Amino acid sequence: MERRSGKRLELTATLKLKRVQDDTEKEIMINVTDLSCTGMGFHSAQKLDVKGYYDTNMAIWTKEVIPCVVQVVRETQEADGTYHYGAMFIGMSEINKQKIHTYQMIDEIQKKGA
């Protein structure tokens, strides 16, 4: 069942996550698989805490970097031993949400013209 309220966009990106609750500077590499105004899906070789909060700096298609906090809400272990997560954005500014929404509209127009 689809739980995400925003339309998903394909996005290939590698980001670093840092757990908000940790004082350590341990970073976790992830591969983003899809993005919407409300959250993102990603793969990680490391197990993360469901309901955990993580800081990241997300480089979007314009190469602009958006700092944000995500909360992991779903986890699925893949057959190869990696994990797929669903996360929602916490406290993302309306301006940054609009940037993602604008790209969604451009992406839809381009797909219709193809």
Side-chain angles (χ1 to χ4, degrees):
M1 179 173 93
E2 180 60 43
R3 295 180 189 159
R4 182 175 294 180
S5 59
K7 180 176 171 28
R8 292 179 186 203
L9 291 169
E10 292 180 12
L11 175 72
T12 303
T14 301
L15 302 176
K16 294 178 184 177
L17 293 181
K18 180 185 171 292
R19 187 171 165 90
V20 172
Q21 294 91 337
D22 273 340
D23 292 332
T24 62
E25 288 295 317
K26 181 180 177 186
E27 293 181 332
I28 302 159
M29 296 301 294
I30 64 169
N31 293 310
V32 178
T33 57
D34 59 83
L35 174 71
S36 76
C37 294
T38 57
M40 66 181 178
F42 61 91
H43 289 285
S44 174
Q46 292 184 263
K47 184 165 178 59
L48 305 177
D49 294 330
V50 175
K51 298 189 180 178
Y53 294 89
Y54 297 86
D55 282 320
T56 190
N57 291 308
M58 181 173 50
I60 58 174
W61 56 96
T62 62
K63 307 300 181 211
E64 181 180 359
V65 176
I66 297 175
C68 57
V69 175
V70 296
Q71 180 184 23
V72 174
V73 293
R74 278 185 299 290
E75 172 191 286
T76 306
Q77 187 166 8
E78 303 290 326
D80 64 0
T82 63
Y83 299 90
H84 187 266
Y85 293 98
M88 62 183 197
F89 296 122
I90 303 296
M92 180 181 280
S93 74
E94 285 302 314
I95 291 171
N96 288 332
K97 286 181 184 180
Q98 274 302 108
K99 290 174 185 174
I100 296 170
H101 180 70
T102 300
Y103 183 67
Q104 286 173 335
M105 292 183 339
I106 293 168
D107 186 60
E108 286 179 24
I109 290 168
Q110 289 176 340
K111 286 181 179 176
K112 287 180 183 176

